[in-house]
Amino acid sequence: GAIGARLSTDASNVRSLVGDTLALVVQNIATVTAGLVIAFTANWLLTLIVLVLAPLMGLQAFFQMRSVKGFSGDAKVMYEEASQVANDAVGSIRTVASFCAEKKVMDIYQEKCKGPMKAGVKTGVVSGAGLGFSSAVLYCINALLFYVGAQLIKHDRATFGQVFKVFFALVMAAMGVSQTSALAPDSNKAKDSAASIFKILDSKPKIDSSSGKGIAPEIMKGDIELQNVSFKYPTRPDVQIFRDLCLSIPSGK
């Protein structure tokens, strides 16, 4: 259940990054590059002065990605636990219905979903704060640009048309940076999901069915007998599956 839920979620996260999100990132990079080229061509002095605030947006994006990374990892583990409960309940729906345990299963599932919900709220707050900070920096850049542009026009170092060329070019570039920084949660989810998928693919089972080592008799015939077998799933150590189970299966039965 947990492995199936993990693969389903991880594959969806990776696909979302290499799909529309990747296209948006490439688009924003092209927008930033074109905006800077146009701005420097129009008036390099004004552009250079305004770009003093640009590192603030880079720092904001960096800290946002660092913050969201921890939240996405914790939520991923919590979602796996909730998905396992749902998969087990659906797979054993007859047993659940026989014991009238539908409400109990729903309560357990809702309890497992509380953690991911809290992590999602934290992620939303961090992402929203990051986007708001990016917008604030954008408005500060606009204000500084008009102020410096007015001073340059006053001292005949720039023209009215050059100021507006730089303004619109830098606005496009700043919008691209702002949109890219808002994609931090998606990129972190995809990164964690890709690492999880490769970890599953690279894992080696303790019992390799494809290995030719060991004794492999051509004909195997015998009785199967279990004595005092106790068993619990590693993911649910508080639930006892078998307790002192004794079972005898004769050969051919």
Side-chain angles (χ1 to χ4, degrees):
I3 295 179
R6 183 187 304 175
L7 289 175
S8 176
T9 305
D10 291 344
S12 178
N13 290 336
V14 174
R15 184 179 61 182
S16 65
L17 180 65
V18 299
D20 297 338
T21 304
L22 182 60
L24 185 59
V25 170
V26 174
Q27 174 186 332
N28 291 335
I29 292 175
T31 301
V32 171
T33 304
L36 291 177
V37 170
I38 295 173
F40 274 105
T41 303
N43 192 300
W44 66 270
L45 180 60
L46 177 59
T47 304
L48 201 61
I49 294 174
V50 174
L51 287 181
V52 173
L53 293 178
L56 292 177
M57 301 189 74
L59 289 175
Q60 173 271 329
F62 173 76
F63 285 115
Q64 182 186 6
M65 292 185 68
R66 295 282 294 182
S67 301
V68 173
K69 183 177 180 180
F71 296 148
S72 62
D74 296 338
K76 184 173 178 294
V77 176
M78 297 174 185
Y79 273 124
E80 290 176 3
E81 296 177 356
S83 298
Q84 183 178 356
V85 173
N87 288 335
D88 292 344
V90 173
S92 306
I93 189 63
R94 291 185 177 181
T95 304
V96 174
S98 299
F99 288 95
C100 299
E102 293 90 343
K103 187 178 185 303
K104 182 178 180 180
V105 172
M106 289 297 298
D107 292 339
I108 296 175
Y109 181 76
Q110 291 177 358
E111 185 68 25
K112 295 291 185 181
C113 288
K114 289 182 179 179
M117 289 178 61
K118 293 180 180 179
V121 171
K122 292 180 180 179
T123 303
V125 171
V126 173
S127 301
L131 183 59
F133 183 77
S134 299
S135 300
V137 173
L138 175 61
Y139 292 131
C140 291
I141 290 176
N142 293 342
L144 180 64
L145 189 150
F146 280 114
Y147 175 77
V148 176
Q151 296 299 320
L152 292 178
I153 293 175
K154 180 179 179 181
H155 294 86
D156 295 329
R157 299 293 300 274
T159 63
F160 184 81
Q162 290 177 347
V163 171
F164 271 88
K165 284 182 181 179
V166 174
F167 169 73
F168 285 113
L170 291 183
V171 164
M172 288 191 299
M175 289 178 62
V177 174
S178 179
Q179 291 177 358
T180 303
S181 65
L183 299 176
D186 293 334
S187 61
N188 282 320
K189 286 182 181 179
K191 182 180 178 181
D192 294 339
S193 298
S196 176
I197 291 174
F198 282 110
K199 183 179 179 181
I200 294 176
L201 294 177
D202 296 337
S203 62
K204 295 182 179 180
K206 295 181 180 180
I207 301 176
D208 189 359
S209 60
S210 62
S211 176
K213 298 181 180 179
I215 301 175
E218 296 181 358
I219 300 176
M220 180 177 293
K221 184 178 181 181
D223 298 333
I224 299 176
E225 185 175 357
L226 304 178
Q227 293 182 353
N228 300 325
V229 175
S230 298
F231 174 73
K232 295 179 181 178
Y233 285 107
T235 55
R236 292 184 295 171
D238 55 333
V239 179
Q240 186 75 41
I241 305 301
F242 295 140
R243 181 181 289 110
D244 295 332
L245 173 66
C246 296
L247 179 64
S248 179
I249 304 176
S251 176
K253 299 294 184 180

